[in-house]
Amino acid sequence: MTITCWNCSSDIDPSGLNCPHCNALLNQAVIDQMTSFHIRNTPAAPISSGVVVADRYDIKREIGRGGMGIVFLAHDKYMDRDVALKIIPQELSMDPKAIADLKRETSLALELTHEYIVRLHNLDTWKNLTFVTMEYVPGGTLSHLMVKNGGRLSLEEALPLLRQVAEALDYTHRKSPPIMHLDIKPLNILISKEGYAKIADYGLARVLRDLATRISAWEAAGTLAYMAPEQIRGKGIGPWSDIYALAAVAYELLSGHPPFHTGDLRWQIMHEEVEQIEFISKKVNNALLHGLKKKPDHRPASAGDFVAILAGEKPVPKIEEAHGSPDEKQVGMFGSKSRTPQPAVERRQRRPYGGKLLFGLLGSAVILLIGFLGWLYIDRLVTLKKPGMALPRAIHSREPALVQQAPAKTETVEKQTPGPDSIGTGQELLMESPSVETAEVATASLDIQSEPQGAEVYVDGEIKGKTPLVLEGLKTGEHEIHIKKEGYGDWNDKVLCQSTERQNVSAALQTIYGAIDISSQPDGAMIYVDGKESGRTPSVLKDIAAGSRTITIAADGFEKWSRKVVVVKGEVAKFAAELTRSVGDLRIVSEPSRAEVFLAGVSKGLTPLTLKKLETGPLMIELRKDCFQTAIKEVTIKPKVLVESRLQLAANCGRLVVNSRPVGAKWYLDGEYRGVTPGDVDGLVTGEHRVKLVLDSYKEKTVTVNLKAGGRETLLGQLEANLPEASRASREPNTGMEFVLAPKGCFQMGSDTSDSERNVDEGPRHEVCLDEFWIGRTEVTQGQWQQIMNQNPSTLKIGKDYPVVNVSWKDIQLFIQKLNEVNKGKYVFRLPTEAEWEYACRSGGKQERFAGGNTVDGLAWHEGNSKRYFHPVGKKTPNGIGAFDMSGNVYEWVQDVYGTDAYGKHQKNNPLMQAEGKYRVCRGGSWLMRSSECRATNRSYYFPDSRNYNLGFRLVRMAQG
């Protein structure tokens, strides 16, 4: 089982304490959370290259795999475009609630169209699998970009990407209602080949994570590190939660790790303050901490504001100036608004019930007294009013004036110019200064929303526009609201408008349905209703929204059929479509000519060739010619058009000449006996071939040749005489390195499937045969490295007999080059192959679990006995050929390129993996690892330029003068 590294997103073995790719520390708490949830994600149906899913998506290759599904690159034949096709894990696709949640979320995500958001195309099922198709974005993720840039980005590198993510988030947050992602993290931010950021998995990431959490009862740590406190509480979630996640991503980009990444992440996110990043400015730190505030109302108002603050374009606001908290309840005269009511804080000392009652009665008495005095005051004003004097409406009617929470919009109803007769004794009580000249009547406003949007709005029978709609200047009082949209039932209500802040009206329109009964000739054609895939003919499509609908029928090899249909509530519209077959012509030309053309395995003739009246649509053509590679190409036949396809055939044959010194050696080509030298073979397929030379009294020699197309390759094998063995050990004269002999032999490489600690890359178990070789008795020491390189790169320079560490695979190649130079051809050194290393570790291929036996402590330094540091070489018991420390102490580099499927590609004799790859193999475990990592069959890998404090090597000597 593997997990995903929080830092670089690589798939790694959870048993280690460090990621082998980026060296990120994986403490046990993080590992426990990361490994607590694992989904079986192997598809039950045969999904692989060449499979066509749902008769539409031609699978090209797998491009991603994780706990939340497998992603394939596929070609959408209907839309003629490449797409990413994600297979949802079966544990989730078999859950009805999971599918319902996915349908709801993807229906919202389908409406999102933004240059920095990965477009979602469709949610569908095929052969009991649920899958999602989305825009294909070549490139990598933000996590991969960080690893490529050394683990973090500069502020100048990070800001353009953060602006793009913020722009996408603000776009979705402005939707009505707002659409949140709620799983923003580096793995969900793709980086295109052009360098643009695109947010992936809108409508998918959060749902899949929540469903997986529900099944497994654990939250993935890779997601938890970016969750806001309110997400962990499950209360008060909103756009501000995405802003927190964006700030967490920004923190990681600039520091190399999330704000909280070790220990109990939930507790820290909820209760602890984020540490400032030491090597960046105070302004940038303040901006990051502002975005990572515990309380949502203390964060920036939008994602764009956060990036502007981070860039220094806006100041970091003081907390008391921040916008209103979504957790605070705002109370006014006409009700309250609350996004998420929070629990009241318990007082330290409770008052007795009787005290509360007395306090309440006194408060009521005071309120009644103030009201009575106010009435007397108003009555006195009315008594003092002279003719022509304007008073507020509340005073005229002797009604108490309403204290508004916010200023309301007003209309002027009367203007009175003061004169000598208009000012009485009570006038001063109404006007504080001569500037008050008008009496005003309050008006109201409505914010009208509907789901779906675009519905017509009528107020008191008068059309006002379409939703979303804000109406200003409405007279106070009751209004009739009527909302209607084609295909939906009407919505009616009465709204009482008062002189308060803007009121909200929200209408959920109910769809009205009819049905369509449709057939076609031939059957099985795809049906599209208003462009949306809706099944195959013949079908009765129920629950079709009433109104005018466009019906399109499409089938491969036939012209599309389309018609407008009026769907009426409760009625069934029935019709049949007669499809017209479409044909076209194809001309095939090849270079060289006279290549045989095959369609569906049937020969059609030699090029140049014209084929007439072919069915339209995609067609695979295959061209074959001796000594040339078979060419396969897909062409699209178009109606009534002559399509021409030209193919260039690549030569794939050559001639191989084999000779030896001395001549007369038996020679074998790719394991097949071909005679004695000299010899040759013509018309041999190009590529890599292995030639083995065998002659009595000489050492067997195997050579790999790479034959090029149309070329001639001559092999001259210089055979080495078998000399008597001088001793079982040999010493290199400059450094004193000792070597022991690993005799020629065959063994079963890899671990048995019965091994409970076996990893998937340790198989399949297979037979390997090796020539004899000399391998270092110990790991190369710090003193030996110092003698050749005149410096010591080890992190701990504690003695010349300690193994040299902190050396990369590339560093070792330079060391070997210089060591070979000082030996002037007498000795030639290299790293062992992976097969040689395992053979030597197991004492010449024996069935040993560790180097020399099955009990680890006497043979290896590991986590349980090393006291957390490495030791001088040669202090444990040697194995059966006299080699020390091949299990434990430090990891050892070997020559091979790493591949999980390497064992399936091994040659039987002297295998070496040299294909292109990002990693190099290291073996043996170390003082830092568990004892299971020190098994002779365990494999690990690093980047070839990686250096680490538990990573060293030993050498193989190839020849002796």
Side-chain angles (χ1 to χ4, degrees):
M1 175 180 157
T2 60
I3 60 175
T4 299
C5 173
W6 64 265
N7 185 49
C8 69
S9 310
S10 300
D11 288 339
I12 58 176
D13 189 322
S15 60
L17 295 182
N18 292 78
C19 173
H21 313 297
C22 65
N23 201 30
L25 179 65
L26 305 173
N27 69 22
Q28 198 58 47
V30 174
I31 293 173
D32 289 344
Q33 289 182 338
M34 292 170 75
T35 57
S36 60
F37 171 58
H38 177 65
I39 289 183
R40 182 177 68 255
N41 56 16
T42 302
I47 303 292
S48 60
S49 177
V51 171
V52 179
V53 174
D55 295 328
R56 175 173 177 177
Y57 303 104
D58 188 359
I59 301 297
K60 291 186 175 181
R61 66 177 186 277
E62 181 179 324
I63 57 176
R65 179 182 289 256
M68 296 306 161
I70 307 175
V71 183
F72 295 92
L73 172 62
H75 185 74
D76 183 347
K77 297 194 295 182
Y78 179 75
M79 299 299 294
D80 192 21
R81 65 186 176 189
D82 285 342
V83 296
L85 188 148
K86 173 177 276 192
I87 304 295
I88 304 301
Q90 285 186 301
E91 285 87 343
L92 304 184
S93 63
M94 295 170 63
D95 185 340
K97 183 180 184 302
I99 296 303
D101 289 345
L102 273 178
K103 288 181 177 178
R104 183 185 67 254
E105 294 296 327
T106 52
S107 66
L108 295 175
L110 284 168
E111 302 300 322
L112 299 180
T113 304
H114 195 277
E115 61 180 323
Y116 301 137
I117 294 177
V118 176
R119 184 68 191 270
L120 191 65
H121 295 319
N122 199 12
L123 172 69
D124 209 339
T125 57
W126 177 72
K127 292 189 177 181
N128 297 321
L129 292 179
T130 300
F131 66 90
V132 176
T133 54
M134 63 194 79
E135 176 188 0
Y136 171 57
V137 181
T141 67
L142 188 54
S143 289
H144 295 118
L145 179 62
M146 289 178 64
V147 175
K148 182 179 178 181
N149 284 27
R152 61 186 182 89
L153 304 181
S154 68
L155 182 62
E156 292 73 19
E157 293 169 327
L159 275 176
L161 301 175
L162 293 172
R163 286 188 198 278
Q164 293 159 10
V165 175
E167 185 177 327
L169 289 175
D170 286 344
Y171 162 76
T172 64
H173 292 170
R174 288 193 297 267
K175 292 287 185 180
S176 181
I179 298 176
M180 288 81 72
H181 190 282
L182 299 182
D183 200 15
I184 294 294
K185 57 185 178 182
L187 278 177
N188 282 335
I189 300 172
L190 304 185
I191 305 298
S192 70
K193 289 184 176 180
E194 294 78 19
Y196 296 108
K198 295 177 79 75
I199 303 178
D201 284 358
Y202 254 103
L204 292 178
R206 179 183 63 81
V207 175
L208 292 176
R209 185 204 70 215
D210 291 349
L211 297 171
T213 302
R214 176 165 57 83
I215 292 173
S216 66
W218 281 98
E219 177 68 71
T223 290
L224 183 61
Y226 310 92
M227 291 177 96
E230 63 270 15
Q231 278 187 270
I232 295 175
R233 285 196 305 267
K235 295 181 179 180
I237 297 170
W240 43 88
S241 307
D242 282 344
I243 295 171
Y244 179 98
L246 178 62
V249 170
Y251 187 101
E252 180 175 0
L253 291 182
L254 299 179
S255 68
H257 56 76
F260 301 105
H261 59 281
T262 61
D264 188 341
L265 301 187
R266 291 174 178 271
W267 168 264
Q268 294 176 63
I269 293 171
M270 294 285 291
H271 303 289
E272 293 188 4
E273 293 302 320
V274 177
E275 293 184 358
Q276 296 194 14
I277 304 171
E278 294 181 358
F279 46 82
I280 64 176
S281 69
K282 183 177 180 181
K283 288 184 178 180
V284 174
N285 266 311
N286 288 343
L288 292 172
L289 298 183
H290 182 48
L292 293 169
K293 287 294 184 183
K294 305 296 184 190
K295 293 184 177 181
D297 60 318
H298 289 177
R299 298 175 202 149
S302 69
D305 280 356
F306 167 72
V307 176
I309 294 170
L310 187 67
E313 298 161 357
K314 290 186 177 181
V316 179
K318 296 180 180 179
I319 294 302
E320 58 268 27
E321 297 173 356
H323 56 284
S325 168
D327 293 337
E328 292 178 355
K329 192 170 185 180
Q330 303 172 3
V331 182
M333 174 64 71
F334 302 105
S336 65
K337 297 190 303 177
S338 176
R339 294 184 181 175
T340 306
Q342 298 297 311
V345 179
E346 184 177 353
R347 298 184 183 273
R348 294 182 178 273
Q349 182 176 0
R350 298 182 180 272
R351 296 178 180 271
Y353 179 80
K356 290 184 178 179
L357 179 61
L358 178 60
F359 182 78
L361 292 174
L362 289 174
S364 300
V366 170
I367 292 171
L368 290 173
L369 178 59
I370 292 173
F372 176 72
L373 292 175
W375 181 84
L376 289 177
Y377 168 71
I378 295 170
D379 186 65
R380 175 61 178 165
L381 293 181
V382 174
T383 303
L384 293 174
K385 177 181 178 300
K386 292 186 177 182
M389 175 179 169
L391 291 177
R393 178 176 177 272
I395 295 177
H396 280 293
S397 61
R398 294 196 177 188
E399 294 174 356
L402 298 179
V403 181
Q404 298 180 7
Q405 185 177 6
K409 297 188 177 179
T410 59
E411 293 180 358
T412 301
V413 298
E414 180 179 357
K415 183 173 181 178
Q416 186 73 32
T417 302
D421 298 329
S422 64
I423 300 177
T425 305
Q427 181 81 9
E428 293 80 358
L429 298 176
L430 293 174
M431 298 184 179
E432 296 180 1
S433 69
S435 62
V436 180
E437 299 179 348
T438 61
E440 300 175 330
V441 174
T443 62
S445 63
L446 292 179
D447 184 350
I448 304 176
Q449 305 282 342
S450 72
E451 179 58 38
Q453 297 180 350
E456 293 179 337
V457 177
Y458 295 80
V459 178
D460 298 329
E462 180 183 352
I463 187 168
K464 296 293 186 180
K466 293 185 177 182
T467 60
L469 180 65
V470 175
L471 298 178
E472 306 281 1
L474 290 176
K475 293 183 179 180
T476 57
E478 188 175 78
H479 295 276
E480 290 187 355
I481 309 298
H482 179 61
I483 299 175
K484 61 190 301 185
K485 183 178 176 66
E486 182 184 7
Y488 294 85
D490 292 354
W491 186 92
N492 300 281
D493 202 358
K494 293 182 179 180
V495 177
L496 178 62
C497 293
Q498 297 174 314
S499 55
T500 67
E501 62 184 26
R502 181 177 296 165
Q503 294 177 245
N504 296 322
V505 176
S506 181
L509 305 183
Q510 301 298 315
T511 309
I512 55 177
Y513 299 104
I516 300 175
D517 184 349
I518 182 170
S519 61
S520 71
Q521 182 61 40
D523 289 342
M526 189 68 72
I527 305 171
Y528 297 88
V529 178
D530 292 336
K532 183 178 180 181
E533 189 175 304
S534 303
R536 292 183 178 275
T537 59
S539 290
V540 176
L541 306 180
K542 300 179 180 179
D543 297 335
I544 302 298
S548 177
R549 299 285 169 259
T550 299
I551 308 299
T552 302
I553 309 298
D556 291 341
F558 294 85
E559 296 183 4
K560 287 185 180 179
W561 181 96
S562 187
R563 177 180 294 179
K564 287 281 188 179
V565 175
V566 176
V567 178
V568 179
K569 178 181 179 181
E571 297 183 9
V572 179
K574 184 174 183 179
F575 58 89
E578 188 73 30
L579 302 184
T580 303
R581 183 176 294 277
S582 57
V583 294
D585 300 335
L586 172 65
R587 178 171 174 78
I588 306 169
V589 180
S590 70
E591 180 59 41
S593 61
R594 307 294 294 171
E596 191 171 7
V597 178
F598 290 84
L599 298 182
V602 179
S603 176
K604 297 295 183 180
L606 302 177
T607 59
L609 179 66
T610 300
L611 302 174
K612 294 184 175 293
K613 295 185 178 180
L614 299 175
E615 292 184 8
T616 57
L619 178 67
M620 299 298 296
I621 58 175
E622 181 179 348
L623 271 63
R624 303 176 190 171
K625 187 176 179 67
D626 289 344
C627 264
F628 289 87
Q629 293 182 11
T630 298
I632 299 176
K633 183 179 180 181
E634 182 181 73
V635 296
T636 301
I637 307 301
K638 299 178 180 180
K640 304 175 183 178
V641 173
L642 175 62
V643 176
E644 183 172 278
S645 180
R646 293 182 174 271
L647 292 90
Q648 180 71 45
L649 303 182
N652 69 341
C653 289
R655 184 182 182 191
L656 176 64
V657 178
V658 180
N659 207 342
S660 66
R661 289 182 180 172
V663 298
K666 296 178 181 179
W667 69 284
Y668 299 80
L669 178 63
D670 297 328
E672 180 184 351
Y673 176 69
R674 290 300 185 107
V676 296
T677 60
D680 68 276
V681 58
D682 200 4
L684 184 61
V685 175
T686 57
E688 190 175 272
H689 298 275
R690 295 174 67 86
V691 176
K692 182 172 70 173
L693 300 170
V694 179
L695 184 63
D696 290 343
S697 300
Y698 288 86
K699 293 181 180 179
E700 183 180 293
K701 188 179 186 70
T702 300
V703 181
T704 299
V705 294
N706 195 353
L707 188 62
K708 296 181 180 179
R712 168 179 168 149
E713 189 75 24
T714 300
L715 170 65
L716 176 60
Q718 180 68 54
L719 300 180
E720 182 181 354
N722 278 320
L723 300 177
E725 183 180 328
S727 66
R728 298 296 294 177
S730 179
R731 186 184 298 270
E732 193 278 325
N734 296 284
T735 61
M737 261 184 243
E738 292 186 352
F739 293 84
V740 295
L741 180 66
K744 177 180 179 179
C746 301
F747 77 112
Q748 291 294 316
M749 186 174 181
S751 62
D752 191 87
T753 54
S754 62
D755 188 343
S756 61
E757 294 176 322
R758 177 181 188 267
N759 295 311
V760 66
D761 63 353
E762 295 174 25
R765 201 173 189 189
H766 59 294
E767 185 178 43
V768 168
C769 295
L770 299 170
D771 298 334
E772 71 175 19
F773 58 95
W774 294 80
I775 192 166
R777 183 184 293 276
T778 68
E779 296 143 339
V780 174
T781 65
Q782 295 184 23
Q784 292 163 350
W785 183 280
Q786 180 79 40
Q787 284 180 275
I788 300 300
M789 305 298 287
N790 295 319
Q791 52 91 16
N792 183 0
S794 302
T795 49
L796 292 176
K797 302 175 178 62
I798 53 179
K800 66 179 182 179
D801 293 332
Y802 284 78
V804 65
V805 294
N806 205 40
V807 288
S808 70
W809 188 92
K810 293 180 180 179
D811 294 336
I812 294 168
Q813 304 309 307
L814 181 59
F815 175 84
I816 291 172
Q817 178 184 338
K818 291 188 176 184
L819 183 63
N820 287 338
E821 288 173 358
V822 299
N823 277 276
K824 300 178 180 179
K826 184 176 181 180
Y827 297 103
V828 179
F829 300 92
R830 61 170 171 82
L831 284 172
T833 67
E834 188 172 12
E836 288 172 340
W837 190 96
E838 184 173 325
Y839 180 74
C841 178
R842 289 164 58 182
S843 304
K846 296 179 182 179
Q847 294 300 310
E848 295 177 346
R849 189 168 183 79
F850 304 100
N854 296 321
T855 304
V856 67
D857 283 338
L859 304 170
W861 298 111
H862 58 87
E863 180 191 40
N865 64 9
S866 68
K867 298 183 180 179
R868 308 294 286 179
Y869 65 91
F870 55 95
H871 292 259
V873 299
K875 299 302 181 183
K876 289 290 185 180
T877 303
N879 69 358
I881 64 171
F884 291 88
D885 300 318
M886 294 197 77
S887 287
N889 213 15
V890 296
Y891 269 118
E892 298 181 14
W893 286 107
V894 297
Q895 190 67 21
D896 298 53
V897 173
Y898 175 78
T900 56
D901 58 350
Y903 287 7
K905 299 178 180 178
H906 270 181
Q907 299 288 337
K908 181 177 180 180
N909 297 321
N910 301 305
L912 170 63
M913 290 299 295
Q914 292 180 304
E916 291 185 4
K918 294 188 294 185
Y919 310 111
R920 295 284 177 168
V921 179
C922 55
R923 301 291 295 261
S926 77
W927 57 270
L928 184 62
M929 297 295 139
R930 297 180 301 176
S931 60
S932 62
E933 299 289 324
C934 301
R935 293 178 296 114
T937 56
N938 185 62
R939 306 174 70 215
S940 191
Y941 54 92
Y942 285 82
F943 289 112
D945 55 0
S946 294
R947 299 182 179 91
N948 205 318
Y949 45 77
N950 68 338
L951 187 56
F953 70 104
R954 73 178 69 219
L955 294 177
V956 161
R957 194 199 72 194
M958 295 176 60
Q960 178 179 4

